[in-house]
Amino acid sequence: MSKITLPSLPYDESSWLTAAYKYEIVNPKEASLHEYDFDKSSGSKVGNKQVLLLHQHWMRTIPAFNQKKPVSDQIVLVRYLEEARSLLGKQKPWNAYLKWIKETPNKVPAGPEAEAMGQYGLVLQSQQYTKGIADDGSDDNKVVFSPKLTRSRARALQSGPSFRPQTPATPTPVHSSQAALDRSPGDMDIDASDDEFSPYTSSVDQPSPKTGEVARQESKIKSEQEVIVSIVLFARSVCNPCQQVAGITWHPHQEVFAANNKNGEKTFVARVDAVMRHEGITRNPSFVETKRVLRYATPHGASIKAQEACQIAAKIAQHPPENLQEMRAKNLTTSEIWFAQDKTEVYIMKITYDANYVDYISHRSNIFAFAKVQEYGPYPIDNWKLIEELGVIILAYALQQADTK
């Protein structure tokens, strides 16, 4: 999660400007995430200014059921929702799974009951495990910023006449950004020293016993992995029996995105926990972020949303829409659906943006443009009615994506 002090993320231009002036962003309408001189003391942490300069409006959360009606038709086209309801309604394991949650939500099935619900028995087991995950107050930094101050200074040193690269006796291995992200959060503060070079360049250390912070982080990651397993198992179980979505797959693989400036330098990198793939196209239709804590354990869930805002921005910057030129010419918008499971609750995010936002976040221009993020939920894993609706949405979205060429 992030280290912001924003009480909540802005939900429109007025609230964004208010926050921008409060946190002393100079000339906020002209300021760019890629050019702003953030305080060096911020290191790689996600701060208030970085979050605000992502240019996102996080709309007020819409409950899964609004006035006793599901809001699914705001997320996926109605014809796919109807098809998904019909397909799931015919599956005996799905119905047995829902019945079990309705009648005995805090037990794991065994014997004939488990056999009747097939792979959903594993889903229930994983969902029960997530209920027991404790919050120890730890943090998992999945976003790494590279402050402009450090990058500018490195360029100056490398271009100046006094720059003399050292030649080590043996080659120094270079870690990829993925390897850097997989290290413990304590190792990822890129301004922890006066090193002027890439934060992803270091020598290989000899392995040592895992103690203290490293051991605690490893234990925490194992716990969060159960949340990843829970949401991926659920999505697979919903989609796999349906031949109509045979090309759609869900993977508990981390995906890393980098937002670069116009000089090709990384402004920041961010990683997500799982991905939805479509074998017929190169782009991935959806992504999943997980947390071991409830989203609104703190008011407004600002810390978790700030990290997700970084992930969304980095993804759009690295993988802009394939029809970007058409979006510019016709002033079109596009949208994406992301999922998040925070311990025992699932949320759905619909992200809407236009070509101007793509140009801003990828540093093609400093135009004053925003993406809008609409959050729906929660969908608690022990509420049979809401988990039924979540299954319908996931399958409907898979059906919708399967029709995409």
Side-chain angles (χ1 to χ4, degrees):
M1 291 179 284
S2 58
K3 297 293 185 182
I4 67 168
T5 57
L6 280 164
S8 62
L9 269 59
Y11 55 87
D12 59 14
E13 184 174 327
S14 176
S15 62
W16 184 89
L17 282 171
T18 299
Y21 286 120
K22 177 180 178 180
Y23 292 99
E24 301 178 339
I25 293 180
V26 180
N27 299 322
K29 286 193 173 184
E30 288 79 39
S32 167
L33 174 73
H34 298 279
E35 299 174 0
Y36 203 86
D37 277 332
F38 299 106
D39 295 336
K40 187 176 187 299
S41 60
S42 70
S44 63
K45 303 298 186 292
V46 183
N48 297 315
K49 292 180 180 179
Q50 284 99 330
V51 171
L52 290 170
L53 288 176
L54 293 170
H55 280 197
Q56 294 179 20
H57 295 154
W58 280 68
M59 320 299 283
R60 290 184 172 91
T61 305
I62 295 178
F65 276 72
N66 194 10
Q67 296 180 347
K68 298 184 178 181
K69 293 183 179 180
V71 296
S72 313
D73 58 355
Q74 299 179 30
I75 304 169
V76 189
L77 294 176
V78 171
R79 64 188 178 96
Y80 293 111
L81 289 168
E82 292 175 348
E83 184 178 359
R85 289 186 202 282
S86 175
L87 289 169
L88 285 173
K90 297 173 183 176
Q91 295 180 20
K92 292 182 179 179
W94 170 252
N95 291 317
Y97 164 73
L98 294 177
K99 183 174 184 290
W100 184 271
I101 296 177
K102 182 178 181 180
E103 297 177 355
T104 51
N106 296 315
K107 291 179 63 179
V108 177
E113 292 88 354
E115 184 177 357
M117 64 183 69
Q119 58 193 357
Y120 287 105
L122 292 175
V123 174
L124 273 169
Q125 185 180 54
S126 181
Q127 289 174 339
Q128 288 298 320
Y129 285 158
T130 64
K131 295 178 182 180
I133 295 175
D135 175 18
D136 61 3
S138 60
D139 186 26
D140 186 16
N141 187 11
K142 297 180 183 177
V143 180
V144 181
F145 266 85
S146 178
K148 178 176 179 287
L149 184 61
T150 299
R151 293 184 275 112
S152 301
R153 191 172 57 187
R155 288 199 307 275
L157 279 170
Q158 294 179 27
S159 61
S162 61
F163 176 71
R164 295 290 185 273
Q166 295 180 350
T167 305
T170 57
T172 301
V174 178
H175 295 288
S176 67
S177 59
Q178 175 66 63
L181 287 169
D182 286 342
R183 295 197 297 270
S184 66
D187 294 332
M188 294 195 296
D189 189 337
I190 63 175
D191 280 330
S193 67
D194 285 333
D195 183 288
E196 305 292 352
F197 308 120
S198 166
Y200 309 115
T201 304
S202 66
S203 61
V204 175
D205 296 325
Q206 294 298 317
S208 58
K210 296 173 181 176
T211 60
E213 177 66 12
V214 174
R216 184 182 66 79
Q217 287 295 336
E218 183 174 276
S219 174
K220 190 193 74 60
I221 290 171
K222 287 179 180 177
S223 295
E224 187 169 304
Q225 283 175 347
E226 190 61 55
V227 186
I228 301 171
V229 169
S230 176
I231 183 66
V232 171
L233 267 180
F234 179 78
R236 284 177 173 176
S237 298
V238 165
C239 294
N240 285 358
C242 301
Q243 184 62 34
Q244 295 89 331
V245 293
I248 300 293
T249 53
W250 296 82
H251 301 268
H253 300 159
Q254 288 188 338
E255 189 94 356
V256 181
F257 307 116
N260 295 342
N261 64 19
K262 58 187 176 185
N263 298 320
E265 303 161 320
K266 287 185 177 66
T267 300
F268 68 97
V269 294
R271 59 183 166 93
V272 294
D273 292 318
V275 59
M276 174 190 190
R277 292 186 176 140
H278 186 333
E279 68 176 12
I281 57 177
T282 56
R283 67 175 182 81
N284 294 323
S286 187
F287 301 91
V288 180
E289 174 57 18
T290 63
K291 282 286 175 286
R292 65 182 299 179
V293 297
L294 292 173
R295 195 174 194 82
Y296 292 100
T298 57
H300 308 294
S303 182
I304 289 178
K305 291 179 181 180
Q307 179 178 291
E308 292 169 348
C310 292
Q311 294 162 335
I312 290 166
K315 184 271 171 185
I316 295 172
Q318 182 168 329
H319 300 292
E322 294 177 351
N323 66 332
L324 184 58
Q325 293 299 335
E326 182 185 15
M327 289 174 63
R328 287 196 186 99
K330 299 181 180 180
N331 196 28
L332 302 176
T333 61
T334 189
S335 61
E336 302 180 16
I337 303 296
W338 287 39
F339 298 87
Q341 180 163 337
D342 304 319
K343 193 172 182 177
T344 58
E345 296 178 343
V346 178
Y347 289 83
I348 302 171
M349 292 164 287
K350 185 174 184 178
I351 305 116
T352 306
Y353 55 93
D354 60 11
N356 287 334
Y357 182 73
V358 177
D359 290 341
Y360 168 78
I361 205 63
S362 57
H363 205 203
R364 293 184 177 94
S365 74
N366 286 349
I367 192 167
F368 192 59
F370 286 81
K372 293 182 179 180
V373 183
Q374 179 61 68
E375 179 184 270
Y376 299 90
Y379 295 82
I381 60 175
D382 57 1
N383 183 309
W384 76 272
K385 191 64 179 174
L386 292 178
I387 209 69
E388 178 184 34
E389 197 62 26
L390 176 64
V392 168
I393 292 170
I394 288 176
L395 180 55
Y397 187 62
L399 289 164
Q400 184 172 308
Q401 292 303 312
D403 277 353
T404 303
K405 305 301 182 183

